[in-house]
Amino acid sequence: MKFSDKKELKIQNKFIKNGYLIFDIVHKNELNSIKDKLIKFSLIFLKKKSIKIKNKKNLLDNIHNYLSVKMLNEFRLYIYNKINNSKDFQKLYFNLGKKYIEILCGNELVMQKKCNLSIQFPMDDSSLLPLHADVWSGDSEYELVFWLPLVNVYKTKSMYILPPKDNQKYSKILKKSKSIDDIFSKVKKKLKWLKIDYGQGLLFTQNLMHGNVVNLENGTRWSFNCRFKSVFSPYKDKEIGSFFTPITIKPTTILGMN
């Protein structure tokens, strides 16, 4: 960070202080094209199931009006496979956050091979991610998560994160706690609920505790998440080749590796 310009340094310091960064996406056309594909694939799935759509407007927000919770996982996997196998999706996804990913993580990067997709219906408890930090289960401390909502998210329709100072404080009690629910009850009042509009992205460190709860709002939450890291930073269980793929390796590095 020593030689960062003032604008970059401000972003970096903000990220270190909060553990996350919400930013405006510049390439709106690319974002809209991803959303259009989700709508297209959703309509194909619904047609195959002989489900008629009364109003295509705000389909993503209202998808729970057409599908049961029992069909949700089948639907999510269908959309997940379709979108991840569509042409240049991973490149489009990276470009939406490229500027800030490079400021926070570096410019020689590896990217998760496939972007995860979360679809959370209102009042549905089958799609929850309880309080956790990804580093508890084999992820590298050096990974950066790019979380992208495809609808406006707020309150229980969004996600929460535990700020760095509180995370450091309460991490010390992990071994003494009886369960995740026990930890959650202790940190509940400290959690930061993130409001992110469609057209914005979120970058956060998965070293911090985070998660979601039952969506008590009116609309369905759609969000992607994908991990990035510097190619030379330490790996844990998820390694290059099996989980990550190189995306911005420079010629000097290629020559050195050869």
Side-chain angles (χ1 to χ4, degrees):
M1 292 170 59
K2 186 175 181 180
F3 297 132
S4 299
D5 65 35
K6 289 183 178 179
K7 288 184 179 179
E8 289 188 357
L9 189 59
K10 186 177 180 180
I11 292 166
Q12 291 166 343
N13 286 333
K14 186 176 181 180
F15 183 79
I16 288 174
K17 179 183 177 181
N18 297 325
Y20 70 89
L21 177 76
I22 296 172
F23 64 95
D24 293 327
I25 290 171
V26 175
H27 305 293
K28 293 292 197 300
N29 289 337
E30 285 83 350
L31 176 62
N32 290 335
S33 71
I34 290 175
K35 186 172 184 177
D36 288 342
K37 284 183 179 180
L38 292 179
I39 293 171
K40 175 187 172 183
F41 296 143
S42 297
L43 290 171
I44 293 171
F45 181 90
L46 292 170
K47 187 176 180 180
K48 286 182 177 180
K49 298 294 183 180
S50 301
I51 299 172
K52 294 182 179 180
I53 304 297
K54 296 177 182 179
N55 187 357
K56 294 180 183 179
K57 187 178 180 181
N58 299 325
L59 179 62
L60 299 188
D61 252 314
N62 296 314
I63 196 70
H64 57 279
N65 292 327
Y66 302 102
L67 293 169
S68 66
V69 172
K70 289 183 178 180
M71 296 176 70
L72 176 55
N73 195 50
E74 179 188 356
F75 174 68
R76 186 189 65 80
L77 287 173
Y78 175 83
I79 302 295
Y80 165 85
N81 287 317
K82 282 289 186 180
I83 196 71
N84 274 290
N85 292 327
S86 61
K87 185 179 179 182
D88 293 332
F89 169 66
Q90 281 80 8
K91 184 177 181 180
L92 279 175
Y93 192 91
F94 168 61
N95 284 337
L96 294 179
K98 180 180 178 181
K99 174 184 174 181
Y100 295 98
I101 292 171
E102 291 186 342
I103 289 173
L104 299 176
C105 202
N107 64 2
E108 286 195 280
L109 298 165
V110 293
M111 176 182 181
Q112 185 176 332
K113 284 186 172 183
K114 291 190 175 183
C115 299
N116 297 323
L117 173 64
S118 175
I119 304 173
Q120 190 180 13
F121 287 175
M123 306 306 296
D124 172 32
D125 62 0
S126 69
S127 304
L128 298 183
L129 276 175
L131 182 75
H132 70 288
D134 295 29
V135 291
W136 296 352
S137 55
D139 283 84
S140 169
E141 294 88 348
Y142 298 85
E143 293 173 20
L144 180 70
V145 181
F146 177 16
W147 197 82
L148 180 69
L150 279 300
V151 293
N152 295 336
V153 296
Y154 49 89
K155 297 181 180 178
T156 58
K157 192 181 176 185
S158 185
M159 60 168 279
Y160 59 75
I161 193 165
L162 187 64
K165 287 185 179 179
D166 294 310
N167 191 81
Q168 187 175 17
K169 176 183 176 181
Y170 287 101
S171 290
K172 295 176 182 178
I173 68 167
L174 288 176
K175 291 182 179 179
K176 298 178 182 178
S177 299
K178 297 177 182 178
S179 65
I180 293 298
D181 289 338
D182 182 42
I183 301 171
F184 184 80
S185 66
K186 289 182 172 65
V187 304
K188 188 175 181 179
K189 293 182 179 180
K190 302 291 185 179
L191 298 174
K192 176 72 175 178
W193 291 87
L194 305 180
K195 181 183 182 297
I196 309 168
D197 293 331
Y198 175 70
Q200 294 182 310
L202 167 71
L203 294 168
F204 71 93
T205 170
Q206 57 187 13
N207 298 331
L208 301 180
M209 296 182 221
H210 59 281
N212 64 16
V213 296
V214 173
N215 176 8
L216 302 178
E217 316 311 322
N218 293 325
T220 293
R221 189 192 89 188
W222 292 67
S223 61
F224 285 107
N225 67 81
C226 190
R227 286 148 184 79
F228 296 83
K229 66 185 293 296
S230 171
V231 65
F232 293 118
S233 60
Y235 295 81
K236 279 196 170 179
D237 293 350
K238 297 175 180 177
E239 299 180 342
I240 191 168
S242 58
F243 186 82
F244 289 105
T245 185
I247 57 171
T248 54
I249 309 302
K250 305 301 181 182
T252 303
T253 296
I254 294 171
L255 292 172
M257 290 169 69
N258 289 338

